[in-house]
Amino acid sequence: MLEDTSFAIHPGKKQVMDEQAYIDIGRLQSVEQKHDYFLFHCEKGSVTIAFYRDDIVRITMQTSNQTTTYPSRAVVVKPNHVNLTYSETDDKVKLNSKKLTIEAKKSPFRIKIVDCNNNLLVEEGKYGMGLKENGEVICFKEMDENNHFYGFGEKTGFLDKRGERYQMWNSDVYAPHNPETDPLYESIPYFMTLRDGLAHGIFFDNSYRTTFDMKSLQDQYSFKAEGGQLDYYVFAGPTPKDVVEQYSYLTGRMPIPPKWSLGYHQSRYSYETEAEVRELVKMFIEKEIPVDAIYLDIHYMDEYRVFTFDKDRFPNPKKLIDDLIELGIRIVPIVDPGVKKDPEYSIYKEGILANHFCKYIEGNHYFGEVWPGISAFPDFTDEKVRSWWGDKHKFYSDLGIEGIWNDMNEPAVFNETKTMDIDVIHRNDGSPDTHRALHNIYGLMMGQATYDGMKSLLNGKRPFLLTRAGYSGVQRYASVWTGDNRSFWEHLQMSLPMCMNLGLSGIPFTGPDVGGFAHDTNAELLTRWTQVGAFMPYFRNHSAIGTVYQEPWQFGEKYEQIMKKYIQLRYKWMPQLYSLFYIASSQGLPVMRPLMMEFPFDVKTYNLNDQFMIGDNVVIAPIMNPGITDRAVYLPEGDWVDYETNQTYHGSQTHLIHANLDQLPIFIKNGTAITHGKVVSSLKEKQEELILHVYTHDKDSNYIHTFYEDDGETFSYENQEYLYLMFEIINTSKYVEINLIKHTGNYPLPSNKMKLDLHNLQEKSVFVNKKKIENLTEGVFISLVD
Ligand code: GLC
């Protein structure tokens, strides 16, 4: 391709800048108030403003040369009734909710939005909304040097996206993943702006190729799409947590995952035979390394035909899966969208005969090459096809499979464009449109088909789905791994800001291939990566065909013991992680958080790439360089306790921390608490003896600690079968008090108590549920019955 050569910088190439080429929407001519929205008629089109809540407003532009739009695949709620006040002066129109004020200048039509404290959120100045003759739609907003940008889903590079330009177009990128590789597999056309400690967000709901540009102009950023409608939402914030709550209210939240999906997972492209899988399991058991899932990559299939097993390689999958379930280990098979063109293959035959595959408008099928060779692709935008595909998963659920891995669902095709022809027509549930318009939702719709299908097949059990491609809302169905990374230290480093921004984009359940997928890993890299992986939301070791094997024992006893220690630590922390996943599913908040989320007024956290938080009180600061055993760790406001040594460090400063190869620096905020359970070989075993670690200090502080538990595998939590506890931890210089202040749900913990481990207690008195504990030597417990 010429663009890969110096031709890319040919002097004859001229670029027309967006701001010069677009047609402005023009002057406001009249305003119409409809039932639940306002319509602003301008010279070149009209703008609709509708409130979804006091803190969420939707703005859409309609112009004459625009393709019609259809209901969003991302948004799951309808507008609520919001009380608004409307006022008008000679040059402005104002619309107020309790949380937002929209101020629209009449000539030219420009929107400014402020919050209830008159803090500026967004403002259009020199440029506003408009379109281009080629059908592109665009919107500009003013930007100043205090703006920091986050979100955008799955992007390489640093945490703060200031000065970057990104595209959304789901793409299979095997190599390279470097700071300017864009786009990747997921399209999340949403971002958050942080300015002087206050945050707001924008979601541009458009599944065409979109571009977000914080780079080309010094004082404006823009977002645009190749087609469709300018249709975006503004979230009021004012905290980063509020923005994620608002965005995930709109696009949905993750279901509570099956607990086993949070354990350690082992994968490889591929464990090729039943014998190999059994041998692998034997190793985990012999070495007493916990494991909850083993993945079957494409080799398990009969010539890569989905919904089949290769009879020679896997002669008895049912027996294999039963035996593994007995040991507490799940099998997760890969399922790609491409269906091999083979008239004797039942899935292909059925799909063709029932008209389930993607076609051109003229009626001929689209075929593309993927692993099975020439293949057809189900049209997941059609409900009939989604339910057919979902039902087909009976093949897997009958074998005892509860987790599915969706890959290549951008969709990836082995050709120049890497995907399906953009003029293929999708049925789109009655609103047919081209692949160009719907490309970015293909993976999301496959996710919906798979998740819903598995859910209906599992008799009340929770399905687990892993996906590579997705669009806003993907969190409702799947966890996301970051695709084909490499066994480079740089890729370990990159995975932190990448997953933190995914979390800020409403997708809490994410992780990279631990150890690196392509290229050969090595002992030190795998060890350090496993330490980090143990604290990432999704923890799977995966590697590519032809690379060195990277199971935890492949590099000798010394490294094996360290990796075992961290995999075990993952299980020890499981009650804490599971409680955070509950918060993710109820409030949308990420499990793995950038420090700016908890400390938005601390500028030192704005682009902190090599540290992250678990919940609101734990900082993880891994070593991510070879041969290094010391690193700078920035600890924000408060005092922080080293998890391993119990040493206290003062916050609002940077410390030099030493960490040998067997150490991962973990800091717990003083005055707070975490829950631990016992190490188990898989999450089939219950972790019922719980320890509440309370980090006491001499300062006055008050902290709320949340604990959530349920059976970990069914939906019976929807019928009160859960346990939700809220503990209040009060610290003063004289005493520490731990009170159970809220207890809901009917799920029982057999012992009905938790042991308390009080760190740095010194001479302080201890009160539990308001009663003074006179004898600390016999162990302190907190009763969970009121
Ligand atoms: C893709 C996936 C990778 C998988 C391989 C074979 O490259 O990203 O995880 O192992 O396909 O299925």
Side-chain angles (χ1 to χ4, degrees):
M1 282 201 311
L2 272 179
E3 288 300 317
D4 287 346
T5 68
S6 303
F7 182 79
I9 46 172
H10 193 288
K13 280 190 127 191
K14 290 239 162 23
Q15 248 193 314
V16 183
M17 305 305 281
D18 283 331
E19 67 279 11
Q20 293 153 8
Y22 92 111
I23 304 159
D24 196 280
I25 186 130
R27 250 179 314 130
L28 178 67
Q29 293 174 323
S30 64
V31 184
E32 228 183 305
Q33 181 168 4
K34 300 279 195 185
H35 171 59
D36 51 3
Y37 63 93
F38 281 80
L39 201 54
F40 295 79
H41 296 286
C42 302
E43 285 169 303
K44 295 280 164 38
S46 59
V47 174
T48 305
I49 298 192
F51 278 78
Y52 274 55
R53 291 194 331 200
D54 279 307
D55 50 3
I56 304 176
V57 62
R58 178 183 187 184
I59 301 172
T60 41
M61 179 180 80
Q62 294 79 230
T63 61
S64 50
N65 68 348
Q66 205 156 47
T67 43
T68 44
T69 48
Y70 24 79
S72 165
R73 300 295 190 167
V75 174
V76 291
V77 289
K78 295 259 175 308
N80 282 315
H81 178 74
V82 174
N83 284 328
L84 298 173
T85 48
Y86 175 85
S87 59
E88 190 171 347
T89 59
D90 283 352
D91 59 344
K92 276 185 196 148
V93 181
K94 255 192 187 181
L95 211 50
N96 278 72
S97 76
K98 275 205 225 90
K99 300 248 174 94
L100 289 170
T101 299
I102 314 249
E103 220 179 86
K105 197 163 114 276
K106 291 181 178 173
S107 182
F109 186 71
R110 294 286 183 266
I111 284 178
K112 175 178 170 184
I113 305 182
V114 297
D115 70 12
C116 51
N117 298 317
N118 216 21
N119 294 306
L120 176 68
L121 305 188
V122 294
E123 182 169 23
E124 295 165 356
K126 197 163 164 197
Y127 312 114
M129 299 179 226
L131 65 148
K132 287 194 193 168
E133 274 170 359
N134 61 5
E136 273 181 35
V137 290
I138 190 160
C139 184
F140 293 87
K141 305 278 180 219
E142 307 238 297
M143 171 173 85
D144 65 45
E145 60 194 23
N146 287 335
N147 289 16
H148 300 272
F149 297 97
Y150 305 93
F152 301 105
E154 186 185 55
K155 297 295 174 195
T156 60
F158 291 128
L159 182 65
D160 183 356
K161 302 305 190 189
R162 192 179 156 69
E164 301 290 349
R165 181 172 46 224
Y166 290 114
Q167 269 191 30
M168 303 294 166
W169 184 254
N170 291 358
S171 302
D172 171 19
V173 185
Y174 171 67
H177 289 191
N178 65 37
E180 61 156 28
T181 307
D182 181 60
L184 289 178
Y185 317 88
E186 296 265 329
S187 290
I188 314 296
Y190 149 89
F191 65 97
M192 175 192 295
T193 309
L194 183 66
R195 189 192 295 126
D196 301 324
L198 300 180
H200 65 270
I202 287 187
F203 168 45
F204 178 26
D205 191 5
N206 184 310
S207 55
Y208 279 80
R209 187 190 290 267
T210 53
T211 306
F212 293 78
D213 189 350
M214 289 77 63
K215 184 180 199 163
S216 302
L217 297 171
Q218 221 171 26
D219 52 0
Q220 320 265 319
Y221 67 81
S222 67
F223 44 93
K224 66 171 181 179
E226 265 186 20
Q229 195 168 25
L230 184 68
D231 179 0
Y232 68 99
Y233 298 77
V234 177
F235 307 106
T239 67
K241 283 184 181 170
D242 291 332
V243 177
V244 182
E245 187 279 329
Q246 289 150 1
Y247 169 73
S248 61
Y249 165 80
L250 195 75
T251 60
R253 297 181 179 139
M254 67 173 293
I256 300 176
K259 228 185 217 183
W260 64 267
S261 68
L262 306 183
Y264 176 70
H265 293 193
Q266 185 66 52
S267 184
R268 168 126 185 128
Y269 168 30
S270 300
Y271 296 120
E272 291 188 14
T273 62
E274 180 175 330
E276 197 180 352
V277 173
R278 286 188 185 276
E279 186 56 33
L280 180 75
V281 168
K282 206 170 114 219
M283 293 294 275
F284 274 104
I285 290 168
E286 263 174 36
K287 292 179 172 296
E288 296 180 339
I289 299 176
V291 62
D292 262 276
I294 306 262
Y295 286 60
L296 298 185
D297 208 323
I298 53 175
H299 286 89
Y300 79 85
M301 293 178 268
D302 172 18
E303 294 183 322
Y304 316 122
R305 290 172 180 85
V306 284
F307 307 102
T308 68
F309 270 89
D310 180 302
K311 292 202 170 52
D312 295 328
R313 294 169 188 268
F314 288 85
N316 196 345
K318 174 85 182 124
K319 174 88 173 70
L320 172 71
I321 290 157
D322 284 350
D323 291 351
L324 262 53
I325 287 175
E326 208 38 47
L327 297 166
I329 300 169
R330 306 292 208 288
I331 284 284
V332 179
I334 196 166
V335 180
D336 293 349
V339 173
K340 188 176 177 65
K341 182 170 191 259
D342 168 3
E344 292 183 349
Y345 162 39
S346 66
I347 304 290
Y348 180 76
K349 206 159 57 179
E350 259 181 60
I352 289 285
L353 295 177
N355 198 18
H356 288 330
F357 295 123
C358 294
K359 289 180 170 177
Y360 292 97
I361 194 163
E362 294 79 10
N364 46 329
H365 279 96
Y366 170 76
F367 290 107
E369 197 187 335
V370 266
W371 306 122
I374 300 299
S375 302
F377 294 82
D379 187 358
F380 295 115
T381 68
D382 188 356
E383 171 52 33
K384 184 179 65 136
V385 180
R386 286 197 296 277
S387 96
W388 169 67
W389 189 260
D391 291 348
K392 285 288 134 201
H393 286 74
K394 191 165 185 309
F395 173 78
Y396 296 111
S397 62
D398 278 353
L399 293 170
I401 286 170
E402 294 168 21
I404 299 288
W405 169 19
N406 280 170
D407 186 25
M408 307 289 276
N409 51 347
E410 294 73 28
V413 181
F414 301 149
N415 64 22
E416 278 285 294
T417 69
K418 298 183 182 168
T419 193
M420 189 177 277
D421 285 355
I422 53 174
D423 49 359
V424 164
I425 286 281
H426 293 290
R427 272 156 276 177
N428 199 27
D429 292 332
S431 306
D433 212 335
T434 59
H435 189 68
R436 187 165 85 99
L438 298 166
H439 171 81
N440 283 342
I441 61 156
Y442 189 83
L444 174 75
M445 296 287 91
M446 183 183 187
Q448 183 181 352
T450 308
Y451 182 84
D452 288 350
M454 285 296 281
K455 189 172 174 184
S456 70
L457 288 163
L458 288 182
N459 297 322
K461 280 195 167 176
R462 301 173 208 169
F464 164 68
L465 178 62
L466 175 67
T467 186
R468 195 170 72 174
Y471 182 74
S472 290
V474 65
Q475 65 273 7
R476 304 193 298 262
Y477 312 117
S479 63
V480 170
W481 100 102
T482 56
D484 296 345
N485 64 1
R486 307 202 145 220
S487 300
F488 297 154
W489 288 93
E490 290 81 353
H491 279 201
L492 165 55
Q493 293 157 14
M494 181 174 80
S495 69
L496 267 60
M498 209 166 178
C499 290
M500 288 193 275
N501 272 319
L502 275 161
L504 290 176
S505 307
I507 310 173
F509 198 4
T510 64
D513 283 345
V514 168
F517 176 68
H519 196 73
D520 292 327
T521 200
N522 61 62
E524 191 184 357
L525 175 60
L526 183 63
T527 305
R528 288 299 193 190
W529 209 324
T530 304
Q531 291 172 346
V532 184
F535 286 88
M536 283 216 168
Y538 176 61
F539 185 21
R540 181 183 74 152
N541 171 321
H542 181 52
S543 55
I545 193 164
T547 64
V548 298
Y549 278 75
Q550 59 182 41
E551 295 72 23
W553 49 83
Q554 295 292 358
F555 296 93
E557 182 68 17
K558 172 177 148 198
Y559 300 98
E560 179 187 321
Q561 288 312 322
I562 303 173
M563 287 187 249
K564 179 174 172 179
K565 167 179 162 187
Y566 283 92
I567 294 171
Q568 288 183 333
L569 207 58
R570 167 82 171 194
Y571 286 77
K572 209 174 191 181
W573 278 71
M574 192 53 66
Q576 179 72 12
L577 291 172
Y578 194 57
S579 301
L580 288 170
F581 270 96
Y582 167 74
I583 290 170
S585 99
S586 54
Q587 298 165 41
L589 298 181
V591 173
M592 173 189 188
R593 302 178 187 170
L595 276 73
M596 53 68 70
M597 186 164 217
E598 296 298 332
F599 301 92
F601 286 95
D602 182 347
V603 292
K604 287 208 170 148
T605 66
Y606 287 5
N607 209 3
L608 198 50
N609 290 281
D610 59 357
Q611 298 178 207
F612 62 94
M613 292 188 77
I614 288 296
D616 62 7
N617 62 336
V618 179
V619 167
I620 312 280
I623 301 263
M624 298 185 289
N625 281 294
I628 299 284
T629 46
D630 295 277
R631 62 157 290 174
V633 177
Y634 177 69
L635 293 171
E637 183 216 326
D639 286 337
W640 298 80
V641 182
D642 184 310
Y643 177 69
E644 231 179 66
T645 63
N646 261 330
Q647 188 181 333
T648 300
Y649 292 90
H650 295 306
S652 303
Q653 51 184 285
T654 302
H655 299 270
L656 185 65
I657 300 293
H658 183 77
N660 290 332
L661 188 60
D662 63 345
Q663 290 172 313
L664 169 72
I666 303 172
F667 302 88
I668 320 284
K669 192 170 187 193
N670 244 344
T672 75
I674 51 174
T675 319
H676 275 358
K678 71 167 186 195
V679 174
V680 287
S681 60
S682 84
L683 291 161
K684 187 183 176 195
E685 253 180 89
K686 296 263 178 247
Q687 295 176 294
E688 277 155 353
E689 284 146 34
L690 299 167
I691 301 179
L692 186 64
H693 289 269
V694 178
Y695 292 82
T696 75
H697 60 159
D698 289 344
K699 304 210 171 107
D700 289 349
S701 68
N702 202 319
Y703 179 75
I704 300 293
H705 174 73
T706 302
F707 171 79
Y708 175 85
E709 176 66 312
D710 58 23
D711 68 15
E713 56 177 3
T714 73
F715 286 92
S716 57
Y717 63 82
E718 289 171 353
N719 305 315
Q720 297 295 309
E721 290 298 306
Y722 66 86
L723 178 64
Y724 176 86
L725 305 175
M726 238 159 117
F727 299 95
E728 169 189 52
I729 319 274
I730 302 170
N731 266 279
T732 70
S733 55
K734 302 207 166 50
Y735 63 88
V736 58
E737 200 178 314
I738 299 112
N739 301 315
L740 177 62
I741 54 169
K742 194 168 173 189
H743 179 171
T744 55
N746 297 328
Y747 188 77
L749 272 190
S751 64
N752 266 327
K753 62 181 185 207
M754 258 186 213
K755 188 172 192 306
L756 294 178
D757 191 337
L758 302 157
H759 296 251
N760 299 334
L761 188 61
Q762 287 153 3
E763 301 301 308
K764 286 188 287 281
S765 322
V766 178
F767 292 82
V768 173
N769 284 340
K770 304 279 178 203
K771 280 202 206 84
K772 186 163 184 200
I773 307 292
E774 301 296 349
N775 186 354
L776 293 170
T777 49
E778 286 164 13
V780 186
F781 292 85
I782 183 162
S783 164
L784 305 182
V785 274
D786 305 311

